[in-house]
């Protein structure tokens, strides 16, 4: 590739798209509105109706850019971005990046102008979709009622912690401890902590990778308010004793919340009800095909068993058979209130509804089967062919929908670590993720193939990973100084997790117990 010059300079052989303010030209406009005398008479002098003290002294400092320049700007930015529609995006780990059928975007376009303050009689179709998606998720989970208000998984966990607190308060019980596991998502500890709970973390048995049931028995007490865990955990390991875990917490008087962010390998096969959970959530923006959002629009669909229905955030959608009318029901006597405004992100609900309708019961099970097949195919190829990559903990355990690999061997032998590898993979057009910090599994890489990708695409991804790790052994500087083809280049890591001295006492004691490694 030759040097490509752009309007505000260039960087080697790559585009460097300026920010839109740098593209601004004084007087340039996207649209010019003709203000003839007739329009001026009809519109009037709007400015004079604004009190003097509320008027701006200077016009807003907005970019002055033409329509064509705006279009090119955002298209170029999109070309600088890795994403599921452009790349084989199986390296997002626990975040379940999959293909979202584009026909569903047509459905979303039909409802994007709905306003949350519209009268219920004018949005019957939208309310019907929410009502019926609730029914679908009841069947999939075995739980009895869902709310789509939480704006993502972490907010759904926060809502579960709120329900647990409200439940015990109504019963007049003083319970202030929540139990989780070390390989559940960090939000399973963080959200209860925000609610004021003391968080007790259960560590796994090193031989099996499954949370230690004896440690759980020792942790429960009269202070136990509940347990919030993921299963499969963020290592891809499913706990087959999960019903026993829930029974132990129930015997102590606590409630059990299910983080089902990793449901893509068990959907239609394993249900929250049979596992013993009292509540749980699905990420509609992951498992049910809506784009992940990366902090953007999302829904953590929160379900509960019947005894907890009145604690759900409001409103929920109900149906009045006499009036033949769907309506928003705010009348839940024990509600925790709202965890966000209105009733959730409706376009995400539409995509999930359309996805389930297209697949049906057997289609959902096939999603899980193919996701597990793809994951284990990739795992066996990596362990057999990719030098320097292995599964450090535990090495002999099957995985469900994802795997957290370790590049510790690579780091020890070459000096090239996981962060170097993920930057180099970007040069090949692939995204790759490590894990939550601080790292328990040393030098981790987390890969979740999902059901979306063919064998050829999975092979392409593995071949790229093989090439990067070959470089690590033969020309390590190439990997260490990556990325070489990206607009944003290597950024030195000065964050807290790079210094073990800054880690919490919990992490340091755990690592000391295991000799600094698992």
């Amino acid at each position: 590739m030759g040097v490509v010059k752009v309007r505000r300079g260039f960087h080697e052989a790559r585009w460097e798209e300026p920010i839109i303010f740098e593209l601004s030209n004084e007087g340039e406009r996207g649209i010019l509105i003709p203000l003839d005398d007739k329009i001026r008479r009809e519109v009037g002098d709007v400015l004079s109706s604004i009190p003097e003290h509320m008027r701006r002294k200077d016009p807003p400092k907005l970019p002055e850019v033409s329509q064509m320049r705006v279009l090119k700007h955002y298209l170029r930015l999109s070309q600088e971005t890795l994403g599921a529609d452009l790349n084989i995006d199986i390296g997002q780990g626990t975040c379940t990046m999959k293909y979202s059928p584009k026909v569903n975007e047509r459905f979303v376009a039909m409802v994007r102008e709905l306003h949350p303050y519209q009268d219920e009689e004018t949005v019957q179709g939208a309310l019907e979709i929410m009502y019926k998606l609730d029914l679908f998720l009841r069947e999939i989970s075995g739980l009895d009622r869902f709310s789509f208000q939480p704006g993502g998984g972490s907010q759904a966990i926060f809502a579960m912690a709120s329900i647990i607190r409200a439940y015990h308060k109504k019963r007049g019980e003083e319970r202030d401890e929540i139990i989780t596991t070390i390989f559940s998502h960090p939000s399973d500890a963080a959200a209860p902590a925000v609610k004021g709970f003391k968080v007790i973390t259960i560590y796994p048995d090193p031989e099996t990778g499954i949370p230690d049931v004896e440690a759980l028995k020792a942790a429960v007490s009269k202070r136990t308010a509940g347990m919030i865990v993921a299963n499969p955990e963020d290592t891809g390991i499913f706990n087959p004793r999960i019903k026993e875990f829930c029974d132990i917490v129930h015997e102590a008087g606590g409630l059990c919340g299910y983080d089902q962010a990793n449901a893509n390998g068990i959907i239609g096969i394993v249900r929250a009800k049979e596992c013993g959970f009292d509540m749980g959530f699905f990420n509609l923006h992951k498992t049910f095909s809506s784009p992940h959002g990366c902090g953007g629009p999302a829904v953590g669909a929160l379900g509960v068993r019947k005894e907890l229905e009145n604690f759900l955030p409001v409103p929920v959608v109900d149906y009045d058979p006499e009036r033949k009318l769907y309506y928003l029901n705010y009348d839940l006597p024990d509600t925790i209130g709202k965890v966000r405004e209105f009733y959730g992100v409706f376009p995400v609900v539409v995509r999930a509804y359309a996805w389930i309708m297209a697949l049906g019961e057997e289609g959902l099970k096939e999603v899980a089967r193919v996701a597990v097949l793809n994951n284990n195919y990739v795992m066996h190829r990596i362990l057999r062919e990719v030098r320097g990559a292995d599964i450090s903990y535990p090495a002999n355990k099957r995985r469900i929908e994802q795997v957290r690999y370790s590049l510790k061997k690579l780091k020890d032998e070459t000096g090239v670590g996981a962060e170097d590898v993920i930057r180099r993979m970007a040069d090949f057009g692939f995204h790759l993720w490590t894990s939550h910090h601080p790292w328990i599994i040393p030098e981790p890489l987390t890969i979740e193939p999902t059901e979306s990708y063919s064998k050829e695409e999975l092979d392409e991804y593995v071949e790229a990973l093989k090439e990067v790790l070959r470089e690590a052994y033969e020309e390590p500087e190439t990997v260490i100084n990556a990325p070489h083809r990206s607009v944003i280049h290597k950024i030195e890591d000065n964050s807290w997790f790079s210094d073990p001295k800054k880690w919490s006492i919990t992490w340091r004691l755990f690592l000391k117990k295991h000799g600094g490694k698992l």
Side-chain angles (χ1 to χ4, degrees), residues 30-238:
I31 185 171
L32 292 174
I33 302 174
L35 293 177
D36 58 23
D37 291 340
K38 179 182 179 181
I39 292 177
R40 294 180 192 279
R41 287 195 301 271
E42 292 177 354
V43 174
D45 183 3
V46 177
L47 186 62
S48 63
S49 65
I50 301 174
E52 179 69 28
H53 69 280
M54 296 180 65
R55 299 181 198 175
R56 298 182 62 103
K57 304 303 180 189
D58 300 300
K61 305 296 184 182
L62 298 175
E64 301 178 62
V65 187
S66 69
Q67 287 190 30
M68 179 179 286
R69 200 181 298 276
V70 169
L71 178 64
K72 289 179 178 178
H73 172 67
Y74 285 103
L75 285 175
R76 287 169 180 164
L77 289 180
S78 72
Q79 292 166 344
E80 294 175 357
T81 303
L82 298 179
D85 284 352
L86 298 171
N87 310 99
I88 301 171
D89 200 1
I90 71 173
Q92 184 63 17
T94 64
C95 289
T96 314
M97 298 292 285
K98 61 169 70 180
Y99 176 75
S100 181
K102 293 301 167 269
V103 65
N104 294 350
E105 300 305 318
R106 297 293 298 274
F107 299 145
V108 168
M110 296 176 184
V111 301
R112 63 189 176 194
E113 294 184 2
L114 292 181
H115 194 282
Y117 284 131
Q118 279 185 235
D119 187 273
E120 291 175 2
E121 293 186 3
T122 71
V123 290
Q124 284 296 292
L127 294 177
E128 181 179 357
I129 287 173
M130 286 190 280
Y131 182 83
K132 290 184 175 178
L133 182 58
D134 176 5
L135 299 182
F136 289 162
L137 296 184
R138 295 183 199 186
E139 289 295 321
I140 293 168
S141 68
L143 298 172
D144 297 307
R145 189 65 183 268
F146 273 82
S147 167
F148 303 125
Q149 194 182 103
S154 294
Q155 202 167 55
I157 298 165
F158 181 83
M160 288 197 295
S162 300
I163 289 173
I164 291 172
R165 179 172 289 286
Y167 172 82
H168 291 300
K169 183 178 180 180
K170 183 178 181 180
R171 294 163 61 91
E173 297 180 338
E174 293 291 335
R175 293 175 177 266
D176 60 359
E177 294 180 353
I178 291 286
I179 296 170
T180 189
T181 60
I182 194 64
F183 286 124
S184 291
H185 193 282
S187 291
D188 293 327
V194 170
K195 289 296 296 184
F197 286 107
K198 176 185 176 183
V199 178
I200 298 175
T201 302
I202 304 298
Y203 294 92
D205 172 358
E207 297 301 318
T208 66
I210 297 170
D212 190 334
V213 68
E214 297 304 320
L216 175 65
K217 291 177 181 178
V220 296
S221 69
K222 293 181 179 179
R223 310 299 302 181
T224 301
M227 174 179 74
I228 301 177
V229 295
N231 193 35
E233 293 188 309
D234 283 357
T235 54
I237 297 175
F238 185 88

Side-chain angles (χ1 to χ4, degrees), residues 182 201 203 437-440 496-497 499-512:
I182 194 64
T201 302
Y203 294 92
H437 287 285
W439 293 341
I440 303 295
W496 68 272
F497 50 77
D499 183 358
K501 294 179 181 178
K502 298 178 183 178
W503 294 0
S504 69
I505 187 67
T506 302
W507 296 104
R508 283 186 273 130
L509 287 174
F510 177 66
L511 291 174
K512 182 179 179 181

Side-chain angles (χ1 to χ4, degrees), residues 395-454:
N396 60 346
K397 188 69 179 176
R398 291 181 180 178
R399 266 57 174 181
I400 303 296
E401 86 304 351
Q402 64 182 281
V403 178
R404 186 155 294 171
Y405 302 89
S406 174
L407 297 185
K408 184 177 185 302
K409 182 173 183 286
L410 179 79
K411 180 75 170 181
D412 291 344
E413 294 177 348
T414 69
V416 175
E419 298 283 3
D420 302 315
V421 170
I422 65 171
R423 291 195 306 272
R424 181 59 175 151
M425 284 291 282
D427 285 333
F428 291 82
F430 300 121
H431 179 261
L432 190 52
W433 186 69
T434 57
S435 79
H436 315 293
H437 287 285
W439 293 341
I440 303 295
I441 292 176
E443 299 298 327
L445 294 178
T446 309
I447 296 176
E448 181 184 6
T450 79
E451 77 285 359
S452 294
Y453 297 99
S454 67

Side-chain angles (χ1 to χ4, degrees), residues 215-473:
L216 175 65
K217 291 177 181 178
V220 296
S221 69
K222 293 181 179 179
R223 310 299 302 181
T224 301
M227 174 179 74
I228 301 177
V229 295
N231 193 35
E233 293 188 309
D234 283 357
T235 54
I237 297 175
F238 185 88
N239 180 4
R241 301 178 69 177
I242 191 63
K243 178 65 164 59
E244 181 181 354
F245 273 61
C246 290
D247 290 344
I248 291 169
V249 173
H250 286 150
E251 288 171 8
L255 296 176
C256 297
Y258 195 177
D259 175 346
Q260 298 182 90
N262 300 332
N264 205 55
I266 60 174
I267 185 173
I269 296 173
V270 176
R271 303 202 309 174
K273 178 181 180 180
E274 285 72 33
C275 290
F277 286 98
D278 304 293
M279 64 190 90
F281 73 90
F282 291 112
N283 280 328
L284 299 188
H285 53 290
K286 293 182 182 181
T287 307
F288 294 91
S289 93
S290 245
H292 178 263
C294 295
V299 172
L302 173 62
V304 298
R305 60 180 172 85
K306 193 165 186 63
E307 292 82 352
L308 299 175
E309 184 177 322
N310 286 332
F311 291 94
L312 280 171
V314 292
V316 292
V317 180
D318 273 322
Y319 179 68
D320 184 341
E322 293 185 3
R323 295 188 298 159
K324 297 182 179 180
L325 195 73
Y326 297 94
Y327 66 97
L328 295 172
N329 182 2
Y330 291 84
D331 189 21
L332 299 182
D334 301 312
T335 179
I336 60 172
K338 289 186 174 184
V339 292
R340 64 169 293 143
E341 274 301 312
F342 307 113
Y343 36 73
V345 182
F346 184 57
V348 177
V349 172
V350 171
R351 291 190 192 95
Y353 176 82
W355 192 71
I356 294 173
M357 287 288 286
L359 287 169
E361 180 181 353
E362 283 305 311
L364 291 176
K365 292 178 181 178
E366 187 68 5
V367 164
R369 295 187 189 108
V370 175
V372 173
L373 176 65
N374 281 354
N375 183 50
N376 282 273
Y377 172 73
V378 169
M379 179 178 69
H380 283 286
R381 278 211 62 190
I382 288 176
L383 295 182
R384 186 174 64 246
E385 303 175 34
V386 181
R387 182 184 177 190
D390 60 25
I391 298 176
S392 65
Y393 181 74
N396 60 346
K397 188 69 179 176
R398 291 181 180 178
R399 266 57 174 181
I400 303 296
E401 86 304 351
Q402 64 182 281
V403 178
R404 186 155 294 171
Y405 302 89
S406 174
L407 297 185
K408 184 177 185 302
K409 182 173 183 286
L410 179 79
K411 180 75 170 181
D412 291 344
E413 294 177 348
T414 69
V416 175
E419 298 283 3
D420 302 315
V421 170
I422 65 171
R423 291 195 306 272
R424 181 59 175 151
M425 284 291 282
D427 285 333
F428 291 82
F430 300 121
H431 179 261
L432 190 52
W433 186 69
T434 57
S435 79
H436 315 293
H437 287 285
W439 293 341
I440 303 295
I441 292 176
E443 299 298 327
L445 294 178
T446 309
I447 296 176
E448 181 184 6
T450 79
E451 77 285 359
S452 294
Y453 297 99
S454 67
K455 178 178 178 296
E456 289 76 16
E457 290 171 310
L458 299 179
D459 287 338
E460 183 181 346
Y461 192 94
V462 174
E463 290 299 325
L465 187 60
K466 283 173 62 177
E467 174 63 15
V468 172
L469 269 65
R470 180 200 65 77
E471 291 177 335
Y473 280 99

